[in-house]
């Protein structure tokens, strides 16, 4: 089993509201993403091609592509535009089988890819950072930066053979997310 670390923001107030996607719009969205080589990150239990619950980093696509897709749907276009402005992924979710899917701005800041480590390695990361994964599921990037600046933390990472993970987390902790409130989260 793997543990995923990624940057999220759950505190910044979003201006757009989740909006329904009908089946045709969802299929066209998936087609645009696939054509651009964007692989969606599927929720557990979803299968590629039939997924109704996923996230995708649409920041590399031109807003004009979405404008052509969502011609009369300014609510959907506003979601994509806000996601791109904030450097976030878009999220598609469907609560029940008989409901339309919803498009919204994801809490995932897509400026950096997530990192996957084994549960054992994740345990060592938490130990090195003096974090309890049972009581917390995230740490602010500035607090992470502070912990990583301690030379003893670096030595703990090296002792566990996680120097590459230390370097990745160090780079991650310095990502400029604008006026957002970024946290490193894990699941």
């Amino acid at each position: 089993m793997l543990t995923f670390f990624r940057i999220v923001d759950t505190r910044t107030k979003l201006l757009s509201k989740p909006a329904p996607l009908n089946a045709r719009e969802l299929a066209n969205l998936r087609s645009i993403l696939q054509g651009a080589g964007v692989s969606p990150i599927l929720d557990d239990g979803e299968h590629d091609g039939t997924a109704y619950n996923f996230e995708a980093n649409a920041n590399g696509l031109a807003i004009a592509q979405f404008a052509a897709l969502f011609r009369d749907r300014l609510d959907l276009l506003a979601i994509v535009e806000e996601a791109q402005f904030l450097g976030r992924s878009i999220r598609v979710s469907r609560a029940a089988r008989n409901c339309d899917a919803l498009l919204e701005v994801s809490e995932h800041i897509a400026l950096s890819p997530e990192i996957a480590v084994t549960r054992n390695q994740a345990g060592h990361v938490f130990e090195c950072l003096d974090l309890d994964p049972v009581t917390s599921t995230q740490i602010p990037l500035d607090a992470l930066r502070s912990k990583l600046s301690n030379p003893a933390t670096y030595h703990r990472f090296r002792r566990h053979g996680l120097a590459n993970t230390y370097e990745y987390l160090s780079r991650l902790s310095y990502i400029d997310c604008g006026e957002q409130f970024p946290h490193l989260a894990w699941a």
Side-chain angles (χ1 to χ4, degrees), residues 11-26:
R11 293 180 39 209
T12 299
K13 184 168 175 43
L14 299 174
L15 300 177
S16 64
K17 303 289 182 223
L21 276 171
N22 65 37
R24 184 181 317 271
E25 292 165 335
L26 178 58

Side-chain angles (χ1 to χ4, degrees), residues 5-122:
F5 291 92
R6 67 185 190 164
I7 301 175
V8 300
D9 175 15
T10 57
R11 293 180 39 209
T12 299
K13 184 168 175 43
L14 299 174
L15 300 177
S16 64
K17 303 289 182 223
L21 276 171
N22 65 37
R24 184 181 317 271
E25 292 165 335
L26 178 58
N28 288 338
L29 175 62
R30 288 294 304 256
S31 179
I32 283 177
L33 294 172
Q34 184 178 7
V38 176
S39 299
I41 300 169
L42 307 178
D43 287 5
D44 288 339
E46 294 285 348
H47 301 284
D48 199 23
T50 61
Y52 281 97
N53 297 289
F54 63 91
E55 292 186 5
N57 181 356
N59 289 289
L61 283 80
I63 194 73
Q65 289 180 276
F66 294 103
L69 171 62
F70 303 133
R71 290 184 194 282
D72 298 321
R73 298 288 311 272
L74 296 180
D75 54 344
L76 295 175
L77 193 56
I79 292 165
V80 174
E81 184 177 29
E82 184 172 26
Q84 288 185 339
F85 179 77
L86 294 174
R88 296 202 191 177
S89 295
I90 54 174
R91 171 133 187 90
V92 174
S93 59
R94 183 173 81 164
R97 292 185 67 126
N98 57 350
C99 296
D100 282 340
L102 289 177
L103 180 67
E104 62 188 314
V105 177
S106 170
E107 65 184 27
H108 178 217
I109 298 174
L111 298 171
S112 178
E114 61 188 13
I115 180 174
V117 297
T118 66
R119 292 274 183 195
N120 187 40
Q121 290 171 323

